[in-house]
Amino acid sequence: MTTFDDPFDARYRLTPGCSCGRHGSEAEHAAASAVSGDAQTSRVVESAVMRALFPEDATRRAFLTAVGAGTAIAAVNALFPLATATDVFAQGLKPEKTDLKVGFIPITCATPIIMAAPMGFYEKQGLKVEVVKTAGWAVIRDKAINKEYDAAHMLSPMPLAISMGVGSNPIPWSAPAIENINGQAITLAMKHKDKRDPKSWAGMKFAVPFDYSMHNYLLRYYLAEAGLDPDKDVQIRAVPPPEMVANLRADNIDGFLAPDPVNQRAVYDGVGFIHLLSKEMWDGHPCCVFSASRQFVTEMPGTYQALLKAIIEATAYAQKAEHRKEIAAAIAPTNYLNQPVTVVEQVLTGTFADGLGGVKKDADRIAFDPFPWESFAVWILTQMKRWGQIKGDVDYQKVAKEVFLATDATKLMAEAGLTPPQATTKTFSVMGKPFDPSKPEEYVASFAIKRG
Amino acid sequence: MRGSLSLRAGLLSVLIFAAFIGAWQFATMPTTGAAGDVDPEYAALVSGAAAQGAKSAFPTPADVGATIWGHLKDPFYVRGANDQGVGVQLAYSLGRVLLGYLLAAAVATPLGFLIGMSPLVYRALDPFIQVLKPISPLAWMPLALYTIKDSGISAIFVIFICSLWPMLINTAFGVASVRKEWLNVAATLEVGALRKAFLVILPAAAPTIMTGMRISIGIAWLVIVAAEMLVGGTGIGYFVWNEWNNLSIGNIITAILLIGLVGMALDVALGRAARLVAYRE
């Protein structure tokens, strides 16, 4: 069952796998049975609603066969105004505003946001977007909140933190697309090249880009797994990514868990070596998101959709390995990342110098997948809870659903020729420890080293 | 004799400069170490120094000279919002500084005048001024961003708030310390309050006021670089930050030199203006 099939048809399955069995893959099936135009839009919305009502596919099919599709539509309509929801996503929404400003931090996580400007993805949606380089995460947050930016590149925990009012006033924020998955690394200063065991890292000073960042949570997780208390045994401080290499060079810090190209730049300048790719801790973890205020999403649905579509198409383009070199050349100049092309290219292609004299190859060092899994948000919230950034009871699922806008991504991913996943949550494991998004409290409680 | 003194001073300046460049050149001389057994595939992926197991080196004077020349050749290019020539960046910074500074002057001079005229107000406001004066511009920045909600205006506000105090204090001090005899003469001649202010006090206090203005412009120029490094976008401070990202020391040195030159020009201009209002007793 793809997002374009009729969810009121009992013959289809809503969960992954080709629905009719006649096609090799779901994508082929979609190509064969594609519905176009208006129907497409309403199908997507209806699917999302049905998925929410019937998480178990068997229940939905039982329901449909028992009452018939017509009754089902009427029944669901009574519960949820399908027509209204479909209208919101209806085609032909003209952007209310075409001149936009989108803020970014000069790191490769922002690749889709940045490349969409020089490579014409914004233009294709009829938008004139100025991508503005910004000095740090606190500044990008303040500028986005102050509406100087229409949308912005943020770390995935930031929209959650802003929505909950952690570290700022509570303002409903949204993350309709993940920028990149993987693509971070732990880099250590050259003098530590024999201290590869994290158990021997007590007393060291580390930098992460921001308090509310995957980097902070992953580094803390990594240290805690090695038996170190990240608040007592080491020092972790927030340093904007661009300043990290300068600080590592000056011996202000011993290492960092940072976004690229910072890690590769440290290697390029002979200052540090790549100890561990974040991929090796959790393959497929999210890092940065494309984000906008809830107000922007609701007041300018046309602009929002066009912008999100451009981002998702850019993300789809960036995911293809054969495009990576071209993208590296497009985003390396002074106007964007301001880095030597070879550094950006090593990050994106995954053939890179490790800083210790070796050349490593890992095509998935950084990958691009826009789908904002709600379970990602839940995991992030568990870590915020674990380290005392949020206190008291948290409605994990609710916050995740309100901030990570999976429905929008589903629809636009399909239009961009990607295959959106059928569910909005998934399980995964971090450093071998499985995470069940339906049991966040138990997960937090299961850690030996935590706050509060 | 004076001519020969300035000649000798000039000669000494040149010598100091040459010694500095010489020392710099010596310190950054490329060490032709044994490259030897480096994997060429690895060497192609890192900088020259890193391939030999060293940190990338500080640029030589010649490298920096070439960088400076590159910037001076084409100072006004605009290649997108985040990449503009140093001339354009300096113009942005100067515009911000002048705006904030003129606003501060427009507030500080009349206010300082009033404070200086009244010993009571002078004493009453003194503690506030003393506390607010030494606050770093960067400490104001988060507060400004939070309340003003616009990074451009915040930068100007920070210039304003930092260049306000020297002008205010100097104006008040200059006005308060006008010689009693002159005020007494004015009183004897039954000069009106307004006439007294403009014809007696203002000329008498003008040199002190100008000193305050000169201090302020120096502070404003110091502040703008820090403020722009923080908010980014445009300006010479942003340029420094952007090149810091790229660890491009040559570009940073270029910016440092330009910042110094512009700061000197501003100071000289205010110095000239101060000479215009000076008087001899």
Side-chain angles (χ1 to χ4, degrees):
Chain A
M1 158 109 203
T2 77
T3 23
F4 299 133
D5 291 324
D6 187 349
F8 292 105
D9 190 330
R11 288 171 301 161
Y12 289 128
R13 282 185 302 166
L14 268 174
T15 37
C18 175
S19 43
C20 62
R22 277 183 289 135
H23 302 95
S25 74
E26 196 55 55
E28 280 173 40
H29 176 89
S33 65
V35 193
S36 64
D38 299 4
Q40 207 175 52
T41 335
S42 25
R43 283 286 159 78
V44 173
V45 177
E46 287 164 8
S47 301
V49 171
M50 286 302 276
R51 207 155 49 226
L53 288 173
F54 301 100
E56 287 293 320
D57 213 39
T59 333
R60 181 187 61 99
R61 276 189 281 175
F63 172 67
L64 289 176
T65 35
V67 303
T71 323
I73 291 176
V76 171
N77 247 323
L79 288 171
F80 189 92
L82 271 179
T84 326
T86 318
D87 274 353
V88 173
F89 283 94
Q91 77 304 328
L93 268 182
K94 276 241 161 18
E96 296 80 0
K97 177 177 167 195
T98 51
D99 283 20
L100 301 171
K101 274 194 176 173
V102 177
F104 74 93
I105 302 282
I107 51 178
T108 39
C109 302
T111 298
I113 293 180
I114 302 172
M115 65 182 264
M119 299 176 81
F121 286 92
Y122 293 127
E123 229 171 288
K124 205 175 128 199
Q125 302 299 328
L127 299 172
K128 230 178 101 197
V129 175
E130 190 186 319
V131 287
V132 188
K133 187 154 29 172
T134 312
W137 297 108
V139 180
I140 213 166
R141 178 194 63 201
D142 290 353
K143 282 189 162 183
I145 290 178
N146 295 345
K147 302 199 179 74
E148 275 185 62
Y149 296 150
D150 297 287
H153 161 210
M154 284 189 183
L155 294 157
S156 49
M158 287 170 70
L160 295 163
I162 296 174
S163 298
M164 290 191 296
V166 183
S168 69
N169 282 339
I171 297 166
W173 216 260
S174 66
I178 301 275
E179 287 297 296
N180 63 311
I181 53 175
N182 301 338
Q184 326 301 310
I186 297 178
T187 297
L188 295 180
M190 274 308 186
K191 64 178 177 193
H192 296 305
K193 69 172 173 235
D194 299 320
K195 283 168 93 172
R196 298 297 293 268
D197 184 0
K199 290 191 175 70
S200 63
W201 290 359
M204 282 172 44
K205 279 182 278 188
F206 291 97
V208 292
F210 199 56
D211 288 339
Y212 308 103
S213 67
M214 283 304 292
H215 312 85
N216 190 17
Y217 307 139
L218 285 175
L219 180 62
R220 282 166 173 271
Y221 195 109
Y222 185 71
L223 293 168
E225 290 295 295
L228 295 177
D229 186 318
D231 288 312
K232 294 184 188 128
D233 300 331
V234 298
Q235 219 188 77
I236 299 180
R237 58 171 89 149
V239 176
E243 294 162 25
M244 284 178 168
V245 182
N247 272 301
L248 191 66
R249 191 193 170 98
D251 263 345
N252 274 344
I253 46 178
D254 295 290
F256 47 70
L257 200 161
D260 273 312
V262 175
N263 302 296
Q264 201 56 49
R265 187 62 206 251
V267 170
Y268 181 82
D269 278 280
V271 175
F273 67 92
I274 295 177
H275 165 72
L276 185 83
L277 295 178
S278 61
K279 172 181 180 279
E280 297 167 59
M281 295 173 62
W282 170 3
D283 192 5
H285 74 80
C287 174
C288 290
V289 291
F290 168 75
S291 80
S293 68
R294 178 76 60 72
Q295 195 189 356
F296 176 76
V297 174
T298 48
E299 283 179 10
M300 296 194 206
T303 314
Y304 159 70
Q305 268 205 60
L307 196 56
L308 185 55
K309 199 165 175 198
I311 297 286
I312 287 182
E313 285 187 4
T315 312
Y317 191 84
Q319 178 53 17
K320 300 229 164 67
E322 65 267 29
H323 296 150
R324 296 280 176 92
K325 279 198 172 177
E326 174 197 359
I327 294 168
I331 65 172
T334 314
N335 201 15
Y336 305 112
L337 295 185
N338 197 19
Q339 293 288 340
V341 177
T342 171
V343 169
V344 182
E345 208 174 277
Q346 289 177 57
V347 174
L348 293 183
T349 59
T351 301
F352 62 97
D354 64 358
L356 296 168
V359 177
K360 290 199 172 161
K361 286 196 171 72
D362 189 338
D364 283 332
R365 173 177 178 175
I366 187 168
F368 300 93
D369 181 351
F371 194 75
W373 291 98
E374 280 160 17
S375 37
F376 284 169
V378 175
W379 187 83
I380 292 166
L381 289 168
T382 62
Q383 298 304 301
M384 291 171 106
K385 183 84 193 281
R386 177 182 180 188
W387 301 116
Q389 288 182 335
I390 46 178
K391 302 210 158 54
D393 289 334
V394 186
D395 191 341
Y396 295 91
Q397 315 299 344
K398 179 166 169 280
V399 176
K401 216 178 259 321
E402 282 175 1
V403 177
F404 278 40
L405 305 179
T407 320
D408 299 10
T410 307
K411 175 198 173 231
L412 295 170
M413 276 173 80
E415 285 182 14
L418 297 173
T419 317
Q422 297 300 317
T424 53
T425 63
K426 64 171 178 181
T427 55
F428 44 80
S429 58
V430 182
M431 292 182 76
K433 183 183 164 96
F435 169 65
D436 179 355
S438 63
K439 296 194 181 84
E441 277 303 339
E442 287 88 332
Y443 186 70
V444 175
S446 71
F447 292 105
I449 300 180
K450 59 177 179 285
R451 297 286 84 79
Chain B
M1 195 60 207
R2 276 198 65 196
S4 84
L5 179 67
S6 53
L7 187 73
R8 282 185 294 161
L11 205 65
L12 190 58
S13 293
V14 171
L15 270 175
I16 293 172
F17 183 69
F20 172 70
I21 296 289
W24 177 2
Q25 173 68 39
F26 181 75
T28 54
M29 213 104 82
T31 45
T32 43
D37 51 344
V38 181
D39 177 7
E41 192 190 350
Y42 182 78
L45 294 177
V46 295
S47 65
Q52 294 171 23
K55 293 181 182 183
S56 58
F58 199 84
T60 64
D63 295 338
V64 174
T67 314
I68 295 176
W69 177 238
H71 282 296
L72 294 185
K73 247 189 344 199
D74 186 13
F76 297 110
Y77 72 85
V78 176
R79 281 182 220 122
N82 307 313
D83 184 14
Q84 309 185 6
V86 280
V88 181
Q89 306 287 21
L90 277 174
Y92 274 117
S93 298
L94 271 174
R96 284 196 189 111
V97 161
L98 290 182
L99 198 59
Y101 176 77
L102 291 178
L103 279 174
V107 172
T109 325
L111 199 64
F113 222 88
L114 291 178
I115 296 173
M117 301 259 273
S118 156
L120 175 72
V121 180
Y122 192 114
R123 294 243 178 136
L125 288 183
D126 196 51
F128 298 106
I129 296 175
Q130 296 306 334
V131 168
L132 291 173
K133 189 179 65 169
I135 296 174
S136 155
L138 296 185
W140 286 109
M141 195 46 111
L143 195 67
L145 271 177
Y146 191 84
T147 48
I148 301 177
K149 295 187 187 299
D150 181 292
S151 58
I153 301 175
S154 297
I156 292 166
F157 167 78
V158 168
I159 301 290
F160 167 82
I161 202 84
C162 288
S163 50
L164 186 70
W165 312 111
M167 281 196 267
L168 191 65
I169 292 168
N170 271 280
T171 309
F173 176 74
V175 170
S177 52
V178 173
R179 281 166 60 178
K180 279 285 168 296
E181 292 89 339
W182 298 348
L183 294 175
N184 289 340
V185 170
T188 316
L189 295 175
E190 297 189 349
V191 177
L194 222 61
R195 243 181 120 194
K196 185 175 82 177
F198 279 102
L199 291 182
V200 180
I201 299 177
L202 186 62
T208 329
I209 298 176
M210 283 311 295
T211 309
M213 290 189 160
R214 201 170 158 182
I215 298 172
S216 278
I217 196 83
I219 291 182
W221 189 244
L222 287 181
V223 167
I224 191 66
V225 176
E228 285 170 347
M229 281 182 87
L230 204 64
V231 293
T234 49
I236 195 73
Y238 163 77
F239 179 85
V240 171
W241 175 83
N242 194 24
E243 294 307 333
W244 187 20
N245 286 351
N246 195 13
L247 302 175
S248 169
I249 304 298
N251 283 321
I252 292 174
I253 293 175
T254 310
I256 289 174
L257 282 176
L258 286 171
I259 292 168
L261 286 173
V262 172
M264 188 177 79
L266 288 173
D267 190 60
V268 167
L270 264 287
R272 285 275 158 81
R275 224 179 292 160
L276 289 179
V277 299
Y279 59 87
R280 287 185 161 206
E281 287 186 34

